[in-house]
Amino acid sequence: MTGDDGHDGAAYLSGSPVRVEILRALRREPRRPADLTAAVDATRTTVQRILAGFRERDWVVKRGAAYHVTPTGTRVHEAYEGLLDEVERADRFGQFAAELERVGADIPPAALNAGDLTVAPDRNPLAAVDRITELLRKGSGTEIRAVSPVVIQQFNDAATEALDAGAEITLVIDRDVAETSVDSFESATDRALNNEDATVYVSSEQIEYGLFRYEDLACVTAYDQRNNPRCVLESRDRAVTEWADERFASFLNDARPLSDVLEDA
């Protein structure tokens, strides 16, 4: 069988939802054509034509009056359902994955297998900001490690609450963010410089996505090209948490304490 033959078979199955429904129904139990007509809401002629197409491809066989799925048909159906799952996952995670790929984050594919995703739609553009803020507050009493390409008041307020509740925070920001923080958030900058539980570093490289780690949770934030938070992934998958730890260590390794940067300025 050639690659074209395989493509023809895939196109045949995907070309009609009724074909998929019939194959799915036969996998549950062998059925007669009349039973399939009622089960999939199709005419008997349509059902007979589809069954003939399945038999031609050896996906089903007729035994007595009923049709049975062959092992080949079972594998084809399982592969098709897996493809549908992947397409659905791509629809769900598409914007998140695209924004991170755009900036070369190299997040592991396992990140798309599980986890909770918050997306900021046009009708609620602050959804991602609100979720990050909520997670910061939940980090009270823990060791928080974060990387951020932006400084906004909501994050500063949530970090202050977490510090007041006993959190220890290590934050890496880029130089542009440091300048914004000094100019627009003087009190927060002073606290970062004077609180022994808060340590802020300035990255030597541009930061284009966000990281947030505490306990067994890793959060990854995708930003659009205007530096607006668009998607937040929360995951406890080991591959994701290890990737987040490696990326945080890389940013931290190339960063300088905020106090040193301000002294130089």
Side-chain angles (χ1 to χ4, degrees):
M1 177 177 288
T2 67
D4 288 343
D5 291 332
H7 180 270
D8 289 345
Y12 173 77
L13 182 58
S14 63
S16 167
V18 177
R19 293 172 193 158
V20 179
E21 289 181 28
I22 289 177
L23 198 56
R24 186 181 294 129
L26 289 176
R27 281 201 65 195
R28 288 194 288 267
E29 60 178 333
R31 300 187 187 226
R32 301 182 179 204
D35 298 330
L36 287 169
T37 298
V40 304
D41 191 23
T43 67
R44 188 180 182 98
T45 300
T46 298
V47 169
Q48 291 283 15
R49 186 171 60 249
I50 291 172
L51 289 172
F54 286 173
R55 292 181 70 181
E56 180 183 344
R57 292 167 174 80
D58 296 322
W59 295 352
V60 303
V61 295
K62 187 177 182 181
R63 226 164 51 222
Y67 285 82
H68 298 247
V69 176
T70 67
T72 300
T74 296
R75 287 176 60 90
V76 167
H77 181 254
E78 288 178 346
Y80 183 78
E81 294 289 355
L83 175 61
L84 292 182
D85 290 342
E86 286 301 321
V87 172
E88 181 181 356
R89 184 175 291 113
D91 288 342
R92 182 181 172 214
F93 287 92
Q95 181 182 12
F96 172 78
E99 294 291 358
L100 289 182
E101 182 64 23
R102 177 179 61 81
V103 299
D106 294 327
I107 192 168
L112 308 187
N113 293 338
D116 298 321
L117 186 69
T118 300
V119 178
D122 291 339
R123 66 181 180 278
N124 185 15
L126 295 179
V129 172
D130 292 342
R131 185 55 185 161
I132 297 169
T133 301
E134 182 180 0
L135 289 169
L136 274 169
R137 292 194 173 106
K138 286 184 177 180
S140 299
T142 68
E143 179 186 354
I144 297 173
R145 289 162 288 157
V147 175
S148 180
V150 299
V151 171
I152 58 177
Q153 189 62 51
Q154 293 96 315
F155 294 171
N156 285 339
D157 292 343
T160 296
E161 291 182 27
L163 286 168
D164 289 341
E168 296 181 9
I169 299 178
T170 303
L171 172 65
V172 182
I173 56 179
D174 66 24
R175 180 174 293 276
D176 290 342
V177 170
E179 293 174 355
T180 300
S181 180
V182 172
D183 293 340
S184 304
F185 304 103
E186 184 177 351
S187 61
T189 303
D190 289 342
R191 175 150 193 174
L193 293 172
N194 297 312
N195 190 322
E196 62 181 14
D197 292 326
T199 309
V200 178
Y201 293 87
V202 179
S203 174
S204 61
E205 59 181 292
Q206 184 179 11
I207 299 175
E208 297 182 279
Y209 58 94
L211 296 176
F212 182 79
R213 282 281 284 123
Y214 66 80
E215 296 178 342
D216 64 342
L217 179 68
C219 299
V220 187
T221 304
Y223 288 73
D224 63 21
Q225 297 187 52
R226 295 183 177 180
N227 242 10
N228 297 311
R230 301 302 301 174
C231 311
V232 183
L233 173 71
E234 304 163 45
S235 178
R236 289 179 168 81
D237 183 276
R238 184 172 180 179
V240 181
T241 58
E242 289 182 350
W243 171 84
D245 289 340
E246 184 276 328
R247 293 306 302 140
F248 179 83
S250 177
F251 279 115
L252 187 61
N253 186 60
D254 294 329
R256 299 173 59 205
L258 175 61
S259 57
D260 291 353
V261 173
L262 294 179
E263 285 180 7
D264 292 346

